Amino acid sequence: MGSSNYATDAVDRAVAKGYKSAQMQRALRAAALGLSVALSSLTALLLVGTSWFPAPLLWLGILGGAAAAAANWRMSRFSGYEIARTLDRAWKSSDQVSTAYHFGGDSQEASEVVRAQRELAVSAVANHDAAEALALKPTPVVWVAAALLLAVIALAGLRYRVSPTLALESPLTSALLSGESQAEQQPASGSDSEQSSKAADDENAVRLGEELAEAREPAESIAFPFDPMVTGSEEAAAAEVEGLDATANAGDELDFQQPSDQSGTPPGEQDNAADEQGSNLERSGDSPEQAEADKSWSEESNSMLDRLKDALKQLRDNMSTEPAQASAQEGSASAEEGSDSAASPQSDEQAGEQPAEGEGAAAEASMDPGEPVEGAQQASQGSGSSDGAGSEGDGDSAGAAGDGDGSKEIQQQQAQDAAFEALEEFYLQRAEELSGDVLVETSNGEVFAAATPYNPQQASRREGAGVAVRDEAPAAYQTFVENYFREIRSKQE
Amino acid sequence: MVSEQLQSVRDEIGKVIVGHEDVVEGVLTALISGGHVLLEGVPGLGKTTLLRTLGEAMHLNCSRIQFTPDLMPADILGSMVMHGGAAGERALRFEPGPIFANLVLADEINRATPRTQSALLEAMQERTVTTGNETHGLENPFLVMATQNPLEMEGTYPLPEAQLDRFLLKILVPYPNRAEMQTIADRTMATLQPSVRQTIDQGQVLEIRRQANAVLVAPHVRDFAIDLVLATQPESAQAHEVARKYVRYGASPRGVQALLQCGRVRALFRGRLNVSEEDVRSLAGSALRHRIILNFDAHAEGKTEDDILQVILESLDRKSSG
């Protein structure tokens, strides 16, 4: 295909020139594709950081880009004949160039027609330039590569602005957010001299408080909290969660106006007292408005703590009510015994027997101070069968609440499936036992008139009666046949 | 130059025939390609005049056969006639029919019985006529220009698809437009009738045919013609979806032959020695429309063979340009 001796006439020269331009276009396209793939991975790295996009993936992307470029280069191969065809389309030369290129014409063996046709093709090529016909045009993939390159430059600039070391660990958004917060903190501390002096005062106060605390309790080097109110609230909340028996102490600790008589108090309270002193020292350096605001904040914190307690109490009530009901329903006789014994709650064990009594009793017992859960467990261990029922409801109150509904549905479904299987077996067995023919009568249907647009004649259709043999009915329809017979028998009766 | 000779013939025909450039070129293409042409159009559009003018311009023998239901094969082919010699002896001698001419106009071919049609079509295909024990060859060049009237179909015998396939081209003869009608009217009222000059002779026609057979066909042009024909075959793997929907029988391999052979002549008309895709594209209608049999859905929806071919050509163009 094609002549081997280039540059012999204008046709081959034009094709060779077009071939070079097409090769450049091909190389540009392949390079742009590879660059796009590699830049995509780099863009991902700059966007999400190495925490989400590990660095080896970048090398994988670069390798993938190289592979894509090589594959594109390999798959987009073309021949000189195809270039000639492209030139024909561009020049609208009625396939003269491609035909001349295909049949040659510069050799001695070429026939007269081939040579004549080549001369015609040369005249058609004369006024055209192959480089113009196959000019280098940016394809979409080139634009994509350019856009990705710009994106990489922009992202790298953003990263460099946030962190000059170009640390790529965190995602760009978090890096930007942290950079903004730092930028906000820096000008605020530099501009407001009052706040800086106040911060210095706070530091002095904290340092003084620490020294005082160390002087009082050198053995217990507990970290001095910055805000004793918050610490007191946290301790109180922790105590609530543990046993709900430390609220009174926490409330006492939260009272900053209380005198700090620390003699004979537990070590924890001593710490809190030291904290109070430190906080008082802190407040000594603050303005009266600040102290008033702190006080109001502490009151608000107390009210929130009360709400939290109420919420926890309601939650425990709800969790203990349902098992108590279940236990009460299961053994009413034994529950009466439990009620007799629970009528006079003298000890923690008796208080633990209260869940057997019924609604609300278990919840009240559990919310009593002094390890109510343990008391309930002791009650279940020490009492008889009724106590055992009550202890089940009390100990696994949360599990019983979620487990009861699901198991019930599953049991109902299993029972329903078993019933359906039994019914199906019954029907199929009965259907096998039946034999003989069954006449299914159908009434005559309506008469429809049909006409076609191609034929003015009309036709009529009628549905007639038919007979169906009983054994021909599929097994899946046996139940319908059963229902049919049942209906007939009921009518006869 | 061949193109100049063909152009001179077209100019001479243009003196008599107003418009119908495509029809004239199609008839000339069929003549040079060695095929036959089926013209479909209403009466009065100058089909007989075209044939007579073509004969005068090329100095070729012309004959006209009006097909009727009682026309017999012998009326076309010829018959054995008893002749008496000077010495009184008598002998049967073959008297050639009107088919023995270079240009034969088979007017309203669908009015003859299938037997007569078959005799004509056999002669068209074999280019010989056999009577008794003798076989007579037809003249070269030989062109049958058959016409069909699409309006009056009562009492006609439509040509079977197998016989339609033997026509190289089927050309639709449209009505002339207003300007052409004015020219026709002026020429009718003129006192001096135009005379047709002989431009080429029978030998030159055969020489042009020989040159046409040497016109080059590039592989992609050949593949384009093959793709076009395959796309019309509903059972083909390369069939176009519109062919699968509306075509009962697609074009046969004779379609590819007709496309390429006529493309060669068309290239000669335009002074080229190679067939282009444009040649194939422009000849697709006339070369393939009578080789495609539409199904009932196409008739019900008013689709024609040209509509199908147009859709297929557009899809092939998109494919080749993409």
Side-chain angles (χ1 to χ4, degrees), chain A residues 161-175:
Chain A
R161 189 176 177 185
V162 171
S163 168
T165 58
L166 272 178
L168 298 173
E169 287 80 12
S170 59
L172 180 62
T173 52
S174 61

Side-chain angles (χ1 to χ4, degrees), chain A residues 17 30 72 87 95 108 114 148 166 207 240 263 288 438 460 472:
Chain A
K17 198 171 179 181
N72 184 270
L87 292 176
D95 297 322
Q108 297 294 329
V114 172
L148 282 171
L166 272 178
R207 196 178 303 115
E240 283 284 327
S263 60
V438 174
S460 61
E472 291 177 356

Side-chain angles (χ1 to χ4, degrees), chain A residues 166-192:
Chain A
L166 272 178
L168 298 173
E169 287 80 12
S170 59
L172 180 62
T173 52
S174 61
L176 284 175
L177 288 174
S178 62
E180 286 178 358
S181 61
Q182 288 176 2
E184 287 175 357
Q185 286 175 0
Q186 287 174 356
S189 60
S191 61
D192 194 355

Side-chain angles (χ1 to χ4, degrees), chain B residues 154-208:
Chain B
E154 294 289 337
T156 60
Y157 303 91
L159 289 172
E161 286 78 10
Q163 295 184 353
L164 279 174
D165 199 25
R166 297 184 184 181
F167 286 98
L168 189 67
L169 299 174
K170 178 182 178 182
I171 300 171
L172 304 180
V173 184
Y175 281 113
N177 56 28
R178 184 176 182 82
E180 292 169 349
M181 292 279 271
Q182 287 175 348
T183 309
I184 291 170
D186 292 341
R187 287 186 183 177
T188 306
M189 290 182 292
T191 54
L192 188 62
Q193 295 297 323
S195 61
V196 178
R197 181 174 55 89
Q198 179 188 346
T199 55
I200 56 175
D201 58 7
Q202 186 174 353
Q204 286 174 317
V205 171
L206 296 178
E207 175 61 21
I208 293 173

Side-chain angles (χ1 to χ4, degrees), chain A residues 1 81 85 88-89 93-99 102-103 111-114 116-117 120 454, chain B residues 1 211 214-221 271-278 296 300 320-321:
Chain A
M1 181 180 291
Y81 181 61
R85 286 188 61 191
D88 275 329
R89 280 196 291 269
S93 55
S94 301
D95 297 322
Q96 292 188 86
V97 180
S98 55
T99 306
H102 173 73
F103 287 99
S111 65
E112 186 180 350
V113 175
V114 172
Q117 195 274 330
L120 291 173
Y454 309 105
Chain B
M1 192 66 187
Q211 290 191 22
V215 169
L216 304 176
V217 180
H220 71 277
V221 179
R272 285 185 275 110
L273 292 174
N274 70 289
V275 181
S276 68
E277 287 184 353
E278 179 57 31
F296 178 77
S320 62
S321 62

